[in-house]
Amino acid sequence: MSAFVPGTAAQPTSEVEVTISCRSLKGKDLLSKSDPMCVAFIQPFGQKRWVEIFRSEVISNNHDPDFTKKIQLPYRFEEQQNLKFDIYDVDSNSSDLRDHDFLGAASCSLGQIISNGKVKLPLVESSTSGDKGFIILTAEELAALKDEVIIQFSGHKLDKKDFFGKSDPFLVIAKSQESGDYSVVHKTEVIKCTLNPKWNRFTIPVRTLCNGDYDRNLKISCFDWNASGNHSYIGEFYVTLKELSQPGVANSFPCINEDKKKRKGDAYTHSGTIKVDFFEIRKINSFMDYIKGGVQLHCSIAIDFTGSNGDPSLPESLHFVSNIPNSYELAIRAVGQIIQDYDSDKQFPVLGFGARLPPDGRVSHEFFVNMQPDNPYCFGIDGVLAAYHSCIRQVQLYGPTNFAPVINHVAKFASVYKDGSNYFILLILTDGVITDMPQTVQAIVSASFLPMSIIIVGIGNADFAAMETLDADTVALQSGKQRAARDIVQFVPFNKFTTSGDPQTARLRLAREVLAEIPTQFIGFMKSHNINPHPPSNRAEVLLPPDPEALVL
């Protein structure tokens, strides 16, 4: 868990553990089996280089090793976290990999491992072909970091600190650090004028309370609140999360004031007691739990074909197709490449709006970009882009810019799956100011009750102020008397990411920005509908083809 630094920002992440095994390795030693070791690499965000993050132990004389050392790393849904695994036959104590025999390599994304449960990858060498064996990878979220504690304290016969009245007590909970210091993790509310307070229940993640260590020391201090801010110290006690969980008499702790104890000596017993009135450790269902339990993600893409994009035959048009990908193409590939890791059939429905269609030039705000009247699906991101290129040549860009039809189109499908078995993401790519704002707000408010999220990417340099309203990060959307059940819209202007001049970097940064809220929105729907994840299915290992591009990198 990253350190708390006021005035900065940090991304909430899950910590995952990757387990590595190999099968049928091909040895290079003539008289014995190989002594394999796995070296893992990751591509830093926005970069094309590989950085080593892990080395396993060496397992002697084994062509089917199960490594006990595991990779622990943060999992970020919004990024494509590419991993590469090199297998070596270790021949000496040298730390230089060039001193050992290379047996093969494989690569995939962390998202592929998580979505499939277990993956099996063929090991390859860039210079030779043939069977080099396989690597088997599984990912598991670290369980200790997924729990939260619900707890309630009460105080009994606390010391009276105010001369003219009773105390106004509150508790401060701090956890020990490796340095020996204590850092505050929670403060209760103040209970006025009582020596026998009963504080409200509160919930705190185990990772926040004690970094997942149930034996880590906690210091619980009791103070008498003063308006001046100079609160009067009543006493404290030390305890672990494991001890707090013990039932019965053990859940009552004497509150000790060391200075008072020194002054009074044997006459001092304590300054009151603090009792645990309620304690529960509850598992937090994470985005990964639902994905591993079989929830399917479906991404629909809606493309703006209004005339304000410019004549697509001219280079200044946002829809101009050439050897250099335009902003629409970059956005489609950026988001789609991550989403497709979680989509079992890789089929993307692609809608268009704001164009005049053949053969009669009728205006449509909800048509299939592949120009098939009864099948909107395109296979893979390459299929989406191929349909987009073909559509540009067949339609006439027109207008206006209406969002409601495509939102309602996807919402019809989402309304069928309120059981949480499927979740729908609509990616809207647009260049202009919306022209059906009341209808769009109504559509979004209605969709907020469904398993659905909406990503809007603004293409070009138009005024997108209205889109910030739809994003509703601070003020909930409202249509008539109905308020949105949750925030389901994320808006990002694409030109925010084009300043680097590197299309690859722009694509990666866009994907991270637009997908960052999806897990939170997803969990929001599941919690509001009391939907728990299914147990991880015992799916067979999935054989993935090698990724030649990643291996070359």
Side-chain angles (χ1 to χ4, degrees):
M1 183 178 182
S2 59
F4 170 67
V5 183
T8 66
Q11 289 291 333
T13 58
S14 297
E15 296 289 329
V16 298
E17 189 175 75
V18 178
T19 301
I20 306 167
S21 299
C22 292
R23 295 293 181 265
S24 304
L25 296 178
K26 304 305 175 184
K28 295 193 175 182
D29 297 336
L30 293 177
L31 301 177
S32 66
K33 293 182 179 180
S34 298
D35 303 323
M37 173 182 70
C38 178
V39 183
F41 303 81
I42 193 169
Q43 279 185 314
F45 182 77
Q47 301 180 33
K48 297 181 180 180
R49 62 190 180 97
W50 291 108
V51 174
E52 181 180 332
I53 58 170
F54 168 86
R55 290 192 186 190
S56 74
E57 76 277 23
V58 178
I59 299 182
S60 300
N61 297 317
N62 197 320
H63 286 168
D64 299 298
D66 296 308
F67 298 104
T68 57
K69 286 185 66 177
K70 305 176 191 300
I71 306 173
Q72 293 184 3
L73 72 165
Y75 160 62
R76 300 181 177 92
F77 169 79
E78 66 274 13
E79 293 181 22
Q80 190 167 36
Q81 296 172 276
N82 291 320
L83 302 171
K84 182 165 74 80
F85 303 87
D86 289 355
I87 307 299
Y88 287 86
D89 175 15
V90 177
D91 293 323
S92 69
N93 292 326
S94 172
S95 61
D96 191 339
L97 295 176
R98 293 173 295 183
D99 294 334
H100 308 292
D101 292 329
F102 177 68
L103 299 181
S107 69
C108 64
S109 72
L110 182 57
Q112 287 177 306
I113 304 174
I114 290 169
S115 63
N116 290 299
K118 178 188 288 187
V119 300
K120 181 179 180 181
L121 295 159
L123 294 169
V124 299
E125 286 185 79
S126 57
S127 58
T128 62
S129 59
D131 182 13
K132 304 297 180 184
F134 299 88
I135 187 170
I136 299 171
L137 306 166
T138 58
E140 183 178 19
E141 194 167 12
L142 293 174
L145 300 180
K146 294 163 59 177
D147 297 338
E148 61 184 9
V149 176
I150 306 171
I151 193 167
Q152 183 176 34
F153 291 106
S154 61
H156 301 271
K157 298 181 179 179
L158 299 177
D159 282 354
K160 179 175 176 292
K161 306 298 289 188
D162 294 337
F163 187 77
F164 293 107
K166 296 179 179 179
S167 298
D168 305 322
F170 68 97
L171 296 179
V172 176
I173 302 173
K175 66 180 176 183
S176 61
Q177 298 178 313
E178 293 182 0
S179 63
D181 297 326
Y182 282 82
S183 60
V184 175
V185 295
H186 183 77
K187 292 182 181 180
T188 68
E189 75 283 5
V190 176
I191 307 295
K192 292 282 191 176
C193 299
T194 180
L195 301 180
N196 298 286
K198 190 178 184 70
W199 293 281
N200 293 330
R201 291 184 186 182
F202 63 91
T203 302
I204 186 170
V206 169
R207 69 180 302 166
T208 300
L209 183 62
C210 59
N211 287 29
D213 180 2
Y214 282 60
D215 293 311
R216 181 181 292 252
N217 223 21
L218 302 174
K219 181 172 69 173
I220 301 182
S221 306
C222 187
F223 291 89
D224 170 33
W225 179 87
N226 292 311
S228 65
N230 296 320
H231 309 306
S232 302
Y233 175 68
I234 295 176
E236 66 189 26
F237 65 95
Y238 294 84
V239 70
T240 66
L241 183 57
K242 182 182 293 184
E243 291 170 337
L244 285 174
S245 66
Q246 300 300 317
V249 179
N251 66 359
S252 183
F253 304 92
C255 202
I256 305 298
N257 185 324
E258 289 294 340
D259 290 339
K260 192 172 181 180
K261 183 178 180 180
K262 289 177 181 178
R263 291 197 311 269
K264 292 195 170 186
D266 293 340
Y268 178 80
T269 54
H270 53 67
S271 295
T273 58
I274 304 296
K275 184 180 178 182
V276 180
D277 292 332
F278 182 87
F279 184 93
E280 179 184 349
I281 294 180
R282 183 171 60 190
K283 178 184 176 183
I284 301 174
N285 293 320
S286 68
F287 176 75
M288 190 187 304
D289 289 327
Y290 289 96
I291 296 300
K292 294 181 76 171
V295 175
Q296 290 293 305
L297 299 185
H298 306 276
C299 181
S300 300
I301 300 173
I303 302 174
D304 182 343
F305 287 98
T306 57
S308 54
N309 284 279
D311 187 339
S313 64
L314 302 177
E316 57 267 24
S317 171
L318 295 172
H319 279 305
F320 182 69
V321 176
S322 67
N323 293 331
I324 301 174
N326 63 38
S327 295
Y328 280 91
E329 294 171 289
L330 287 171
I332 289 170
R333 191 172 291 280
V335 178
Q337 279 192 329
I338 291 178
I339 292 295
Q340 71 177 358
D341 282 349
Y342 301 86
D343 193 314
S344 58
D345 60 10
K346 306 293 187 288
Q347 297 282 354
F348 293 88
V350 186
L351 308 173
F353 59 93
R356 299 180 68 183
L357 306 183
D360 55 359
R362 64 182 178 87
V363 177
S364 176
H365 298 289
E366 181 189 346
F367 64 91
F368 299 158
V369 169
N370 62 10
M371 307 308 289
Q372 298 182 25
D374 56 355
N375 178 20
Y377 293 97
C378 302
F379 181 74
I381 298 305
D382 289 338
V384 172
L385 293 174
Y388 164 68
H389 294 157
S390 176
C391 182
I392 283 290
R393 297 190 295 267
Q394 299 182 62
V395 302
Q396 182 182 33
L397 275 57
Y398 201 66
T401 307
N402 292 346
F403 284 4
V406 293
I407 294 173
N408 290 328
H409 176 94
V410 176
K412 289 178 184 177
F413 292 92
S415 65
V416 179
Y417 295 98
K418 293 182 181 179
D419 61 350
S421 61
N422 294 264
Y423 195 86
F424 296 80
I425 299 171
L426 171 60
L427 171 63
I428 301 177
L429 308 173
T430 182
D431 84 305
V433 177
I434 190 170
T435 53
D436 65 339
M437 180 62 85
Q439 294 86 347
T440 294
V441 170
Q442 182 179 9
I444 292 173
V445 170
S446 298
S448 70
F449 294 87
L450 303 175
M452 180 174 169
S453 291
I454 301 170
I455 300 167
I456 303 174
V457 178
I459 307 294
N461 298 308
D463 180 6
F464 293 114
M467 301 301 178
E468 300 292 349
T469 302
L470 299 180
D471 201 327
D473 282 336
T474 54
V475 180
L477 279 182
Q478 184 165 338
S479 178
K481 295 183 178 181
Q482 187 177 41
R483 292 173 63 88
R486 56 196 177 91
D487 174 21
I488 65 169
V489 178
Q490 170 77 336
F491 169 74
V492 176
F494 184 75
N495 60 11
K496 173 181 176 181
F497 304 93
T498 57
T499 55
S500 67
D502 180 4
Q504 173 75 0
T505 300
R507 180 168 64 84
L508 292 172
R509 294 188 183 282
L510 172 70
R512 182 170 67 174
E513 180 90 1
V514 301
L515 294 174
E517 292 187 12
I518 295 296
T520 301
Q521 294 173 1
F522 177 101
I523 291 295
F525 173 81
M526 298 299 181
K527 289 184 70 173
S528 65
H529 289 75
N530 296 316
I531 299 173
N532 291 316
H534 295 296
S537 54
N538 294 322
R539 292 171 285 180
E541 59 194 24
V542 178
L543 179 61
L544 298 177
D547 183 349
E549 180 182 352
L551 288 175
V552 170
L553 288 173

